Amino acid sequence: MHPIPATARQAGRHLKTVGRTLTRAFAGPGRERDVAVQAVKAALAAWIAWAVAGLWLEAPMAFVAPWVAIVLVESTVYRSIAHGLQQVAAITTGTVAATAVALLLDSKMAAMALVLPTVVLLGNWRRLGSQGIYAATGALFVLTGPSVSVATSTARIVETLFGAVVGITVNAVVRPPVYLRDTRAALQDATREAHDILHAVADGLDADRWDPDEADACHERALHLHRLVDQAREAIGRTRESLRANPRRRAYGTATLDKDYDDAVLVLDYAAVHTAEVTRAVRDAASEKRAAARPDTALARRYASFLRQTAHTLRLYGHSRFGERCEQELGEAVEELRRSLDELRHDAARSRPDDPDAVATYGTLLVQAHRLADRLVVSEPEAPEHSPRG
């Protein structure tokens, strides 16, 4: 048998990836389906723009309308509107400037030498944002065409405006995108990881297992938790943007989204910071160099129990904010967390270990425990007026 060439194997892997993506898109709601829907909408916008401008009106520059329409089916309705205004302004500016200079000089080459540097610089204007490059594109369409005339340039601007209207309208009317599901997934990922890290540390303390490699791994996970929280924060920003100028806005209880999701990210921020400090203290105590002394087994086990309760409370808090409503269970867990924290303080006051460094290590852990619990204790959610769907 002849070996399969590497290029063929790579193509096969790409086809399998495409197949899995299509399968997930058809299987149920998710990012893959959202992307597929946006692709179909972009094609629909281009088809409508071409059908009207090219086939029905027989516009002289009909290709401009579907081109602009397909580009402006953006990831959010607000972005479609904002980029549409910027793109129309950029193309209009480039078209008008190129037409005026070309007619004045009666030379396309001379006009190109004068106009292109100007419109490229204009493309960096902050108000045009990422659409500034279309000023140069508009100018090039004029200067590389068969002829330059006011009528042709006016037609191009009108077709640009029509394509923008079609793209924005299709994006706003046909299943306007909302990314609430992505936000929930990002928050749930961060909450689940914080819960798992705390449990892993608790298991090691409970078993009196001070393994340096295990402690290092937990600390690395805790540091990575910050990135998960940042991703959740970015997802909330993307969701808010997707609800701006969106006809589906009322169906999503945006007041609840603003309050509950912001609070959840704040709690996760605290959890990430103080989980990293807890894992750092455990890592130092587990180090073979023994930079920090270890607390005695009884104190470590009581601390492990507290970490498990914190992990449980954090999981319930996450459910109460963006999952199933469980306020009563969360309230009971918060009360238990308060009691456990008081017991840890009393343990620290009663303990008189021979090694003062062990007291220092336990004190560090206790401070982080207090800070980790504080945000959960004061952040019990109220029942929402509206529960967002999506």
Side-chain angles (χ1 to χ4, degrees):
M1 291 180 61
H2 295 290
I4 300 175
T7 305
R9 288 197 300 270
Q10 188 175 11
R13 285 195 295 270
H14 287 321
L15 287 174
K16 288 180 181 178
T17 301
V18 172
R20 286 194 296 269
T21 301
L22 290 174
T23 300
R24 286 193 292 268
F26 283 106
R31 177 169 176 75
E32 290 80 8
R33 176 172 289 185
D34 291 339
V35 171
V37 168
Q38 288 299 104
V40 172
K41 286 166 57 177
L44 174 64
W47 182 87
I48 293 173
W50 173 253
V52 175
L55 301 181
W56 182 28
L57 298 178
E58 297 183 352
M61 299 291 172
F63 73 91
V64 173
W67 169 58
V68 172
I70 200 169
V71 168
L72 289 181
V73 179
E74 297 264 14
S75 57
T76 67
V77 175
Y78 171 78
R79 193 168 297 187
S80 288
I81 295 172
H83 286 179
L85 293 172
Q86 291 173 332
Q87 190 174 133
V88 169
I91 292 176
T92 299
T93 301
T95 301
V96 170
T99 302
V101 174
L103 292 176
L104 181 64
L105 299 179
D106 196 24
S107 170
K108 290 183 181 180
M109 293 302 294
M112 191 175 292
L114 290 175
V115 172
L116 286 183
T118 304
V119 293
V120 169
L121 285 173
L122 179 65
N124 293 300
W125 188 27
R126 182 176 56 85
R127 289 188 178 276
L128 293 179
S130 61
Q131 308 303 301
I133 189 62
Y134 289 109
T137 303
L140 282 172
F141 279 162
V142 172
L143 298 173
T144 57
S147 62
V148 180
S149 69
V150 173
T152 301
S153 296
T154 301
R156 184 177 289 112
I157 292 171
V158 171
E159 287 147 20
T160 298
L161 183 60
F162 176 69
V165 170
V166 171
I168 293 169
T169 302
V170 168
N171 204 27
V173 172
V174 182
R175 198 179 181 270
V178 175
Y179 299 101
L180 184 56
R181 188 168 48 247
D182 291 349
T183 300
R184 285 177 174 167
L187 288 166
Q188 288 165 349
D189 286 346
T191 304
R192 189 181 304 111
E193 180 66 1
H195 173 275
D196 293 347
I197 292 169
L198 293 173
H199 257 286
V201 175
D203 290 343
L205 294 176
D206 203 27
D208 199 26
R209 187 175 63 248
W210 298 86
D211 182 84
D213 292 336
E214 184 178 332
D216 275 340
C218 283
H219 186 57
E220 287 298 321
R221 289 178 65 185
L223 294 178
H224 178 68
L225 181 59
H226 287 281
R227 290 193 286 274
L228 294 180
V229 176
D230 287 340
Q231 289 171 10
R233 185 179 289 107
E234 290 169 5
I236 290 175
R238 188 166 58 249
T239 298
R240 288 205 181 109
E241 183 184 294
S242 73
L243 289 168
R244 295 179 70 179
N246 193 318
R248 300 166 68 190
R249 178 186 177 92
R250 291 182 179 275
Y252 282 85
T254 54
T256 299
L257 173 68
D258 288 344
K259 182 178 184 300
D260 287 0
Y261 284 54
D262 277 342
D263 287 350
V265 168
L266 185 59
V267 168
L268 287 170
D269 239 343
Y270 272 78
V273 169
H274 300 303
T275 297
E277 293 301 322
V278 168
T279 56
R280 180 179 287 111
V282 171
R283 184 195 62 180
D284 291 345
S287 171
E288 294 177 356
K289 297 179 181 179
R290 297 295 298 277
R294 301 166 185 171
D296 66 66
T297 302
L299 283 177
R301 285 178 177 167
R302 284 195 285 274
Y303 193 82
S305 176
F306 168 81
L307 289 182
R308 287 197 184 92
Q309 289 176 351
T310 303
H312 177 64
T313 306
L314 186 61
R315 182 178 61 82
L316 291 176
Y317 181 86
H319 281 309
S320 73
R321 287 301 190 191
F322 43 82
E324 304 167 359
R325 312 308 299 186
C326 52
E327 280 78 8
Q328 182 177 353
E329 191 177 357
L330 173 61
E332 294 170 356
V334 166
E335 288 301 320
E336 184 63 28
L337 195 63
R338 284 195 182 102
R339 286 193 292 270
S340 295
L341 192 56
D342 288 340
E343 290 173 5
L344 285 178
R345 292 195 191 98
H346 294 151
D347 286 342
R350 289 194 301 266
S351 65
R352 293 289 187 271
D354 296 332
D355 188 352
D357 290 338
V359 177
T361 299
Y362 187 73
T364 300
L365 291 171
L366 185 59
V367 167
Q368 299 309 324
H370 187 282
R371 292 173 177 171
L372 186 59
D374 269 351
R375 182 55 54 176
L376 290 170
V377 167
V378 301
S379 299
E380 296 175 71
E382 301 174 358
E385 296 179 5
H386 301 284
S387 179
R389 296 171 284 130

